Amino acid sequence: MSDRYATYHEGRGPLKALCLALVLCLWAAAGFGGERDVRRAWVGLELFPTLLAADMDITARQDASGALPVLLLYRDDPATALDMADRLRRIDRVRGLSLRIETAGLDSLDNLGALSPAGVFLTQSAGDDLERVAAFCRERGILLFSPFEGDVENGAAAGIRVSDRIQPYVNLEAVRASGLRLKPFFLQVAVVYE
């Protein structure tokens, strides 16, 4: 009996090692995916002002002070959203308008009242809340920019497409549903999802 017990456990040694290696690979991949999302967000942030500038009615979206209101939405990482807001503040103007940048958590979306920014930028994936955020933006005629993979196909008006190069990615149906009009030249250089 002890020989069979020893043989059984010796055979499980490689299986245990394989399972441990698989768990470590999945853990590393999850971490890498998170890092990849952070990189996508920062790259998307660089394109976001260009997309705002492509809005043909951008000057009508300024607030009472003459600034262009922008909202950065996060899930659970306000520090990164604040860092991104600081980065956007370094941009002097978008089509002659200064930016007024605010950050808010996804959980506070329903409490934003009549806030109507010119654009909303997702600093983190909205996950299951994407449809709620997209509906909020459509109802208020706000440009929703999400740099996260799959979000443009699932209702965000714009994002980024990463292939051999990085390009703006536009969901024309979401743009139209929001009542937005983008400059034709911008649509020529963007990848369009219909």
Side-chain angles (χ1 to χ4, degrees), residues 170-173 176 192-194:
V170 177
N171 180 330
L172 278 184
E173 183 179 328
R176 289 181 191 124
V192 175
Y193 174 80
E194 291 190 81

Side-chain angles (χ1 to χ4, degrees), residues 66-159:
L68 198 58
V70 172
L71 178 63
L72 303 184
L73 279 179
Y74 59 87
R75 175 173 293 288
D76 59 8
D77 185 4
T80 298
L82 289 171
D83 288 344
M84 291 182 169
D86 287 343
R87 172 66 187 98
L88 275 181
R89 285 186 185 100
R90 292 183 209 151
I91 296 170
D92 188 31
R93 300 193 175 273
V94 170
R95 289 200 26 214
L97 301 170
S98 61
L99 299 178
R100 183 177 52 82
I101 301 156
E102 296 183 30
T103 62
L106 286 169
D107 56 350
S108 67
L109 190 64
D110 296 329
N111 301 324
L112 294 177
L115 178 69
S116 190
V120 169
F121 182 90
L122 293 177
T123 64
Q124 290 181 281
S125 172
D128 293 337
D129 290 321
L130 179 63
E131 176 49 41
R132 186 169 63 96
V133 175
F136 172 87
C137 291
R138 276 192 309 269
E139 291 165 9
R140 290 170 171 78
I142 301 168
L143 179 76
L144 173 60
F145 188 103
S146 175
F148 304 105
E149 197 167 355
D151 283 2
V152 169
E153 295 88 343
N154 290 310

